[in-house]
Amino acid sequence: MNLKDLYINFFVSKGHKQIPSAPVVPENDPSVLFNTAGMQPLIPYLMGEEHPYGKRLCDYQKCIRLTDLDRIGDSTHHTFFEMLGNWSLGDYFKNESIAYSFEFLTEVLHIPVDKLAITVFEGDEEIPRDEVSASRWESLGIPKSRIAYLGRDDNFWIPGDSGPCGGDTEIFYWRDDSTPPVNFDPHDERWVEIWNNVFMEFYKDKDGKVTELAQKNVDTGMGLERVVAVLEGVYDNYLTSIWEKPRKLLEQITGLPYQGNEESMRIILDHIRTSVMIAADPAGIKPSNTDQGYILRRLIRRAIRHARKLGLDKDSNWEEQLAKCFIEIYEPYYKEVEENKEVVLNVLKQEKEKFNRTLEKGLKVFEKISLNTNEIDGETAFHLYDTFGFPIELTIEVAKERNLTVDEVGFQKKFQEHQEKSRTASAGKFKGGLSGNSLVETKYHTATHLLNAALKKVIGPQVHQMGSNITEERLRFDFPCDHKLTEEEKQKVEDLVNQWIQKEIPVTKETMEKEKAIQSGAECMFIEKYPDMVTVYKIGDVSKELCGGPHVENTKELGHFKIKKEEASSAGVRRIKAILE
Ligand code: SER
């Protein structure tokens, strides 16, 4: 029996109900593209809402993490993985949780106690040292010398910046042929973390305030691919039983051995598996140029490029064969994979055919460039994107292989320029007016000007709009900045915008000659793109920008401004998502 089944059977025998994996695209959380942990879909229940299946739950959850996308190709990272988890929603706590973990590891998986070591939270001014967990482990037979106390960086878990959180205890396994040392050194890499039991007692809100949760929860997580590798005694995750069939199939399709071709083969295997899981999701994601669709496009196109590197014929159905193999593996566990088989195969085939039409021509551009220079300028990178369908990340990867650099900031500029052009073209050139814009979007337009002005004050005058996107739900703003904003900087920006809103500043509009507008110091993104007569929107002495509008008449209409997210958009470019509430 495989680990997934053993795990579920064990926890069901301990009174847990198995819940189905949530979709990989979160259903009610637009702040993340994909579920990144087993607990994510359970947040409302960890906060106290009653779960229809009760207080003891277990599952295997489809997760996608994109933080390591660039590292795929090594032996241990994956974009998609499955996380095994069990939860107590205000039911049992540390003692039972630790006893269950110990029993599962030693009696079901038959791991000798001597190969295990434990870390627990050492405590700080807010949370006491976790003696309860430590003595529970000891009572079960883990010697003191194998229990290490570590601080917040290691033994405290929170999903991102805010949410339910708490200290945790982590279980390590000795992955080496030598006898495990008596004293546990958590920094010795032969000790590999295999399971994490989080004791969720607190809630940290977006402003950093910590309160006690109404109930004490347990949230445990075990990454399937890593643990299987550990248990099967291999150092390359792709050599485990999980990947055996697709890996052998890829060897057969290419006629090449895995050894010596690891990087491209891992990328193809990982990316096709993740693409299958995204395309099969009930959210109905299709390759596109935004959000999850863009990730799907990137994954498929990168896999295609590596398939070409391994010499696969562009018209062969390699992707279909691999996808069918993954579908066969996962359909017994996920009904959506079974139900959406045809959709998945079509998505992959169509995207492959689309990229096949331009990939070769795009690669020639690289060859030409490397004859004369060692940098791909912004314009060329944009040309590769726009005409040959090369996601910028792919351009960077291909460039690197040829010792070329890419002007990413230049690319972003061209990209925004293009977006601006198509936006104004479809909105009727520089007419402004409310047509096509709801009142909410109009408010976000004005809020965007205020945010731009506030960032200039807090971060520096070099800040300007590199990209902007407005929906009914939020604004998104990209700007040049070389660091992640601190909590303090974010707070200052928010406060400034809210002060200006409270000051009830009128928003005025004036039509003038372009030259005059520029001379008067009005901010303008793409000077050459504007007609001779332009509209300048002024918000008191806070902001002055060339803009097509529309805007509200007074800042008081905006309500309250709040930054929801601050993240990297690309090298040297930060992205803020903010709302009005
Ligand atoms: N939330 C914890 C983790 O992701 C345990 O499930 O590791």
Coordinates of all heavy atoms in Angstrom, one line a residue, residues 309-370:
K309 N 15.0 20.5 -26.6 CA 16.4 20.3 -26.2 C 16.8 18.8 -26.2 O 17.9 18.5 -26.6 CB 16.7 20.9 -24.8 CG 17.2 22.3 -24.8 CD 17.4 22.7 -23.4 CE 18.9 22.7 -23.0 NZ 19.1 23.3 -21.7
L310 N 15.9 18.0 -25.8 CA 16.2 16.5 -25.8 C 16.0 15.9 -27.2 O 16.0 14.7 -27.3 CB 15.3 15.8 -24.8 CG 15.5 16.2 -23.3 CD1 14.6 15.4 -22.4 CD2 17.0 16.0 -22.9
G311 N 15.6 16.7 -28.1 CA 15.6 16.2 -29.5 C 14.2 15.6 -29.9 O 14.1 14.9 -30.9
L312 N 13.2 15.9 -29.1 CA 11.9 15.3 -29.4 C 11.3 16.1 -30.7 O 11.4 17.3 -30.8 CB 10.9 15.5 -28.2 CG 11.1 14.5 -27.2 CD1 10.2 14.8 -26.0 CD2 10.7 13.1 -27.7
D313 N 10.7 15.3 -31.5 CA 10.1 15.8 -32.7 C 8.9 16.7 -32.3 O 8.1 16.3 -31.5 CB 9.6 14.7 -33.6 CG 9.1 15.2 -34.9 OD1 8.0 15.8 -35.0 OD2 9.9 15.1 -35.9
K314 N 8.9 17.9 -32.9 CA 7.8 18.8 -32.5 C 6.4 18.3 -32.8 O 5.5 18.7 -32.1 CB 8.1 20.2 -33.0 CG 7.7 20.5 -34.5 CD 8.0 22.0 -34.7 CE 7.8 22.5 -36.1 NZ 6.8 21.9 -37.0
D315 N 6.3 17.5 -33.7 CA 4.9 17.0 -34.1 C 4.6 15.7 -33.4 O 3.5 15.2 -33.5 CB 4.8 16.9 -35.6 CG 4.9 18.2 -36.2 OD1 4.3 19.2 -35.7 OD2 5.6 18.4 -37.2
S316 N 5.5 15.1 -32.6 CA 5.2 13.9 -31.9 C 4.2 14.2 -30.7 O 4.2 15.4 -30.3 CB 6.4 13.2 -31.4 OG 6.8 13.8 -30.2
N317 N 3.5 13.2 -30.3 CA 2.5 13.5 -29.2 C 3.1 13.2 -27.8 O 2.4 12.6 -26.9 CB 1.3 12.7 -29.4 CG 1.5 11.2 -29.2 OD1 2.6 10.8 -29.3 ND2 0.4 10.4 -29.0
W318 N 4.4 13.5 -27.6 CA 5.0 13.2 -26.3 C 4.2 13.8 -25.1 O 4.1 13.1 -24.1 CB 6.5 13.8 -26.3 CG 6.5 15.3 -26.4 CD1 6.6 16.0 -27.6 CD2 6.5 16.3 -25.4 NE1 6.6 17.3 -27.3 CE2 6.5 17.5 -26.0 CE3 6.5 16.2 -24.0 CZ2 6.5 18.7 -25.3 CZ3 6.4 17.4 -23.2 CH2 6.5 18.6 -23.9
E319 N 3.7 15.0 -25.3 CA 3.0 15.6 -24.1 C 1.7 14.8 -23.8 O 1.3 14.7 -22.6 CB 2.7 17.1 -24.4 CG 1.4 17.5 -25.1 CD 1.3 17.0 -26.5 OE1 2.3 16.5 -27.1 OE2 0.2 17.1 -27.1
E320 N 1.1 14.3 -24.8 CA -0.1 13.5 -24.6 C 0.2 12.2 -23.9 O -0.5 11.8 -22.9 CB -0.8 13.2 -26.0 CG -2.1 12.5 -25.9 CD -2.7 12.2 -27.2 OE1 -2.4 12.9 -28.2 OE2 -3.5 11.2 -27.3
Q321 N 1.2 11.6 -24.3 CA 1.6 10.3 -23.7 C 1.9 10.5 -22.2 O 1.5 9.8 -21.3 CB 2.8 9.7 -24.4 CG 2.6 9.3 -25.8 CD 3.8 8.6 -26.4 OE1 4.3 7.6 -25.8 NE2 4.3 9.1 -27.5
L322 N 2.7 11.6 -21.9 CA 3.0 11.8 -20.5 C 1.8 12.2 -19.7 O 1.6 11.7 -18.6 CB 4.1 13.0 -20.4 CG 5.5 12.7 -20.6 CD1 6.4 13.9 -20.5 CD2 6.0 11.6 -19.5
A323 N 1.0 13.1 -20.3 CA -0.2 13.5 -19.6 C -1.1 12.3 -19.3 O -1.6 12.2 -18.1 CB -1.0 14.6 -20.4
K324 N -1.3 11.4 -20.2 CA -2.1 10.3 -20.0 C -1.5 9.4 -18.8 O -2.3 8.9 -18.0 CB -2.2 9.4 -21.2 CG -3.2 10.0 -22.2 CD -3.4 9.0 -23.4 CE -4.5 9.4 -24.3 NZ -4.4 8.9 -25.6
C325 N -0.2 9.3 -18.8 CA 0.4 8.6 -17.7 C 0.1 9.2 -16.3 O -0.2 8.5 -15.4 CB 1.9 8.5 -18.0 SG 2.9 7.7 -16.7
F326 N 0.2 10.6 -16.2 CA -0.1 11.2 -15.0 C -1.6 11.1 -14.6 O -1.9 10.9 -13.5 CB 0.3 12.7 -15.0 CG 1.8 12.9 -14.9 CD1 2.5 13.6 -15.9 CD2 2.5 12.5 -13.8 CE1 3.9 13.8 -15.9 CE2 3.9 12.7 -13.7 CZ 4.6 13.3 -14.7
I327 N -2.4 11.2 -15.7 CA -3.9 11.1 -15.4 C -4.2 9.7 -14.8 O -4.9 9.6 -13.8 CB -4.6 11.3 -16.7 CG1 -4.6 12.8 -17.1 CG2 -6.1 10.9 -16.6 CD1 -5.1 13.1 -18.5
E328 N -3.5 8.7 -15.4 CA -3.8 7.3 -14.8 C -3.3 7.2 -13.4 O -4.0 6.6 -12.6 CB -2.9 6.4 -15.6 CG -3.7 5.1 -16.1 CD -2.9 4.4 -17.1 OE1 -1.9 3.7 -16.8 OE2 -3.2 4.6 -18.3
I329 N -2.2 7.9 -13.0 CA -1.7 7.8 -11.6 C -2.7 8.6 -10.7 O -2.9 8.1 -9.6 CB -0.3 8.4 -11.5 CG1 0.7 7.5 -12.4 CG2 0.2 8.5 -10.1 CD1 2.1 8.1 -12.5
Y330 N -3.2 9.7 -11.1 CA -3.9 10.6 -10.2 C -5.4 10.4 -10.2 O -6.1 10.9 -9.3 CB -3.5 12.0 -10.3 CG -2.1 12.2 -9.8 CD1 -1.0 12.3 -10.7 CD2 -1.8 12.3 -8.5 CE1 0.3 12.4 -10.3 CE2 -0.5 12.4 -8.0 CZ 0.6 12.5 -8.9 OH 1.8 12.6 -8.4
E331 N -6.0 9.8 -11.3 CA -7.4 9.8 -11.3 C -8.1 9.0 -10.2 O -9.2 9.4 -9.8 CB -8.0 9.5 -12.7 CG -7.6 8.1 -13.2 CD -8.1 7.8 -14.6 OE1 -8.8 8.7 -15.2 OE2 -7.7 6.8 -15.2
P332 N -7.4 7.9 -9.7 CA -8.1 7.2 -8.6 C -8.2 8.1 -7.3 O -9.0 7.9 -6.5 CB -7.1 6.1 -8.3 CG -6.3 5.9 -9.5 CD -6.2 7.3 -10.1
Y333 N -7.4 9.2 -7.2 CA -7.4 10.0 -6.0 C -8.2 11.3 -6.2 O -8.7 11.9 -5.2 CB -6.0 10.3 -5.6 CG -5.2 9.1 -5.2 CD1 -4.4 8.4 -6.1 CD2 -5.4 8.6 -3.9 CE1 -3.8 7.3 -5.7 CE2 -4.7 7.5 -3.5 CZ -3.9 6.8 -4.4 OH -3.3 5.7 -4.0
Y334 N -8.3 11.8 -7.4 CA -8.9 13.1 -7.7 C -9.9 13.0 -8.8 O -9.5 12.8 -10.0 CB -7.9 14.2 -8.0 CG -6.8 14.3 -7.0 CD1 -5.5 13.8 -7.2 CD2 -7.1 15.0 -5.8 CE1 -4.5 13.9 -6.2 CE2 -6.1 15.1 -4.8 CZ -4.8 14.6 -5.0 OH -3.8 14.7 -4.1
K335 N -11.2 13.1 -8.4 CA -12.2 12.8 -9.5 C -12.2 13.9 -10.6 O -12.5 13.5 -11.7 CB -13.6 12.8 -8.8 CG -14.2 14.1 -8.3 CD -15.6 13.9 -7.9 CE -16.3 15.1 -7.5 NZ -15.6 16.3 -7.1
E336 N -11.7 15.1 -10.3 CA -11.7 16.1 -11.4 C -10.6 15.7 -12.5 O -10.8 16.1 -13.6 CB -11.4 17.5 -10.8 CG -10.1 17.6 -10.0 CD -10.3 17.3 -8.5 OE1 -11.2 16.5 -8.2 OE2 -9.6 17.9 -7.7
V337 N -9.6 15.0 -12.1 CA -8.6 14.5 -13.1 C -9.3 13.5 -14.0 O -9.1 13.6 -15.2 CB -7.4 13.9 -12.4 CG1 -6.4 13.3 -13.4 CG2 -6.7 15.0 -11.5
E338 N -10.1 12.7 -13.4 CA -10.8 11.7 -14.3 C -11.8 12.4 -15.2 O -11.9 12.1 -16.4 CB -11.5 10.7 -13.3 CG -11.6 9.3 -13.9 CD -13.1 9.0 -14.1 OE1 -13.9 9.2 -13.1 OE2 -13.5 8.5 -15.2
E339 N -12.6 13.3 -14.6 CA -13.6 13.9 -15.3 C -13.1 14.8 -16.4 O -13.8 15.0 -17.5 CB -14.5 14.8 -14.3 CG -15.4 13.9 -13.5 CD -16.0 14.7 -12.3 OE1 -15.8 16.0 -12.2 OE2 -16.6 14.1 -11.5
N340 N -12.0 15.5 -16.2 CA -11.5 16.5 -17.2 C -10.4 16.0 -18.0 O -9.6 16.8 -18.6 CB -11.1 17.8 -16.4 CG -12.3 18.4 -15.7 OD1 -13.4 18.3 -16.2 ND2 -12.1 18.9 -14.5
K341 N -10.2 14.7 -18.2 CA -9.2 14.1 -19.0 C -9.0 14.8 -20.4 O -8.0 15.2 -20.8 CB -9.6 12.7 -19.3 CG -8.8 11.6 -18.6 CD -9.2 10.3 -19.0 CE -9.8 9.5 -17.9 NZ -10.1 8.1 -18.1
E342 N -10.2 14.8 -21.1 CA -10.1 15.4 -22.4 C -9.7 16.8 -22.5 O -9.0 17.3 -23.3 CB -11.5 15.2 -23.1 CG -11.9 13.7 -23.4 CD -10.8 13.0 -24.2 OE1 -10.2 13.6 -25.1 OE2 -10.4 11.8 -23.8
V343 N -10.3 17.6 -21.5 CA -10.0 19.0 -21.4 C -8.4 19.2 -21.3 O -7.8 19.9 -22.0 CB -10.6 19.6 -20.2 CG1 -10.2 21.1 -20.0 CG2 -12.1 19.5 -20.3
V344 N -7.9 18.4 -20.4 CA -6.4 18.5 -20.1 C -5.6 18.2 -21.4 O -4.7 18.9 -21.8 CB -6.0 17.4 -19.0 CG1 -4.5 17.3 -18.9 CG2 -6.6 17.8 -17.7
L345 N -6.0 17.1 -22.1 CA -5.2 16.7 -23.3 C -5.4 17.8 -24.3 O -4.4 18.1 -25.0 CB -5.7 15.4 -23.8 CG -5.5 14.2 -22.8 CD1 -6.0 12.9 -23.4 CD2 -4.0 14.0 -22.5
N346 N -6.6 18.4 -24.4 CA -6.8 19.5 -25.4 C -6.0 20.7 -25.1 O -5.4 21.3 -26.0 CB -8.2 19.9 -25.5 CG -9.0 18.9 -26.4 OD1 -8.4 18.4 -27.4 ND2 -10.3 18.8 -26.2
V347 N -6.0 21.1 -23.8 CA -5.2 22.3 -23.4 C -3.8 22.1 -23.8 O -3.1 23.0 -24.4 CB -5.4 22.5 -21.9 CG1 -4.3 23.4 -21.3 CG2 -6.7 23.1 -21.5
L348 N -3.2 21.0 -23.5 CA -1.8 20.7 -23.7 C -1.5 20.7 -25.2 O -0.5 21.3 -25.7 CB -1.3 19.4 -23.1 CG -1.2 19.4 -21.6 CD1 -1.0 18.0 -21.1 CD2 0.0 20.2 -21.2
K349 N -2.3 20.1 -26.0 CA -2.1 19.9 -27.4 C -2.2 21.3 -28.1 O -1.3 21.7 -28.9 CB -3.2 19.0 -28.0 CG -3.0 18.7 -29.4 CD -3.7 17.4 -29.8 CE -3.4 17.0 -31.2 NZ -4.4 17.4 -32.1
Q350 N -3.2 22.0 -27.7 CA -3.4 23.3 -28.4 C -2.3 24.3 -28.1 O -1.8 25.0 -28.9 CB -4.7 24.0 -28.0 CG -5.9 23.3 -28.7 CD -7.2 23.8 -28.3 OE1 -7.3 24.8 -27.5 NE2 -8.3 23.1 -28.6
E351 N -1.9 24.3 -26.8 CA -0.8 25.2 -26.4 C 0.5 24.8 -27.1 O 1.3 25.6 -27.5 CB -0.6 25.2 -24.9 CG 0.3 26.2 -24.3 CD -0.1 27.7 -24.6 OE1 -1.2 27.9 -25.0 OE2 0.8 28.6 -24.3
K352 N 0.7 23.5 -27.2 CA 1.9 23.0 -27.9 C 1.9 23.4 -29.4 O 2.9 24.0 -29.9 CB 2.0 21.5 -27.8 CG 3.3 20.9 -28.4 CD 3.3 19.4 -28.5 CE 2.5 18.9 -29.7 NZ 2.6 17.5 -29.9
E353 N 0.8 23.3 -30.0 CA 0.7 23.6 -31.4 C 0.9 25.1 -31.6 O 1.6 25.6 -32.6 CB -0.6 23.2 -32.0 CG -0.6 21.7 -32.2 CD -2.0 21.1 -32.7 OE1 -3.0 21.9 -32.7 OE2 -2.0 19.9 -32.9
K354 N 0.4 25.9 -30.7 CA 0.5 27.3 -30.8 C 2.0 27.7 -30.7 O 2.5 28.5 -31.5 CB -0.3 28.0 -29.6 CG -0.7 29.3 -29.9 CD -1.7 29.7 -28.8 CE -2.3 31.1 -29.1 NZ -3.3 31.5 -28.2
F355 N 2.7 27.2 -29.7 CA 4.1 27.6 -29.4 C 5.0 27.0 -30.5 O 6.0 27.6 -30.8 CB 4.5 27.1 -28.0 CG 5.8 27.8 -27.5 CD1 6.0 29.1 -27.8 CD2 6.7 27.0 -26.8 CE1 7.2 29.7 -27.3 CE2 7.9 27.6 -26.3 CZ 8.1 29.0 -26.6
N356 N 4.6 25.8 -31.0 CA 5.4 25.2 -32.1 C 5.6 26.1 -33.3 O 6.6 26.1 -34.0 CB 4.7 23.9 -32.5 CG 5.2 22.7 -31.8 OD1 6.2 22.8 -31.0 ND2 4.6 21.6 -31.9
R357 N 4.5 26.9 -33.5 CA 4.6 27.8 -34.7 C 5.6 28.9 -34.6 O 6.0 29.4 -35.6 CB 3.2 28.4 -34.9 CG 2.1 27.4 -35.4 CD 0.9 28.1 -36.0 NE 0.0 28.6 -35.0 CZ -1.0 27.9 -34.4 NH1 -1.2 26.7 -34.8 NH2 -1.8 28.5 -33.6
T358 N 6.0 29.2 -33.4 CA 6.9 30.4 -33.2 C 8.2 30.1 -32.5 O 9.2 30.9 -32.6 CB 6.2 31.5 -32.5 OG1 5.8 31.0 -31.2 CG2 5.0 32.0 -33.2
L359 N 8.3 28.9 -31.8 CA 9.5 28.6 -31.0 C 10.8 28.7 -31.8 O 11.7 29.4 -31.4 CB 9.3 27.3 -30.3 CG 10.5 26.7 -29.6 CD1 10.9 27.6 -28.4 CD2 10.2 25.3 -29.0
E360 N 10.8 28.0 -32.9 CA 12.0 28.0 -33.7 C 12.5 29.4 -34.1 O 13.6 29.7 -34.0 CB 11.7 27.2 -35.0 CG 12.7 26.0 -35.3 CD 13.1 25.2 -34.1 OE1 12.4 24.3 -33.6 OE2 14.2 25.5 -33.6
K361 N 11.5 30.2 -34.6 CA 11.8 31.5 -35.1 C 12.4 32.4 -33.9 O 13.3 33.1 -34.0 CB 10.6 32.2 -35.7 CG 10.3 31.7 -37.0 CD 9.1 32.5 -37.6 CE 8.4 31.7 -38.7 NZ 7.0 31.7 -38.6
G362 N 11.7 32.2 -32.7 CA 12.2 32.9 -31.5 C 13.6 32.5 -31.2 O 14.4 33.4 -30.9
L363 N 13.9 31.3 -31.2 CA 15.3 30.8 -30.9 C 16.3 31.4 -31.8 O 17.4 31.7 -31.4 CB 15.3 29.3 -30.9 CG 14.6 28.6 -29.7 CD1 14.6 27.1 -29.9 CD2 15.2 29.0 -28.4
K364 N 15.9 31.6 -33.1 CA 16.8 32.2 -34.0 C 17.2 33.6 -33.6 O 18.3 34.1 -33.9 CB 16.2 32.2 -35.4 CG 16.2 30.8 -36.1 CD 16.3 30.9 -37.6 CE 16.3 29.5 -38.2 NZ 14.9 29.1 -38.6
V365 N 16.2 34.3 -33.0 CA 16.5 35.7 -32.6 C 17.7 35.7 -31.6 O 18.6 36.5 -31.7 CB 15.3 36.3 -31.9 CG1 15.6 37.7 -31.3 CG2 14.1 36.5 -32.9
F366 N 17.7 34.7 -30.7 CA 18.8 34.6 -29.7 C 20.1 34.4 -30.5 O 21.1 35.0 -30.1 CB 18.6 33.4 -28.8 CG 17.5 33.7 -27.8 CD1 16.2 33.4 -28.1 CD2 17.8 34.2 -26.5 CE1 15.2 33.6 -27.1 CE2 16.8 34.4 -25.6 CZ 15.5 34.1 -25.9
E367 N 20.1 33.5 -31.5 CA 21.4 33.2 -32.2 C 21.9 34.5 -32.8 O 23.1 34.8 -32.7 CB 21.2 32.2 -33.2 CG 20.6 30.9 -32.8 CD 21.1 30.4 -31.4 OE1 22.3 30.6 -31.1 OE2 20.3 29.8 -30.7
K368 N 21.0 35.3 -33.4 CA 21.4 36.5 -34.1 C 22.0 37.5 -33.2 O 23.1 38.0 -33.4 CB 20.2 37.1 -34.8 CG 20.2 37.1 -36.3 CD 19.2 38.0 -36.9 CE 18.4 37.3 -37.9 NZ 17.1 37.8 -38.1
I369 N 21.3 37.6 -32.0 CA 21.8 38.6 -31.1 C 23.1 38.3 -30.5 O 24.0 39.1 -30.4 CB 20.7 38.7 -29.9 CG1 19.5 39.5 -30.4 CG2 21.3 39.4 -28.7 CD1 18.4 39.6 -29.5
S370 N 23.3 37.0 -30.2 CA 24.6 36.6 -29.6 C 25.8 36.9 -30.5 O 26.9 36.9 -30.1 CB 24.6 35.2 -29.1 OG 24.1 34.4 -30.0

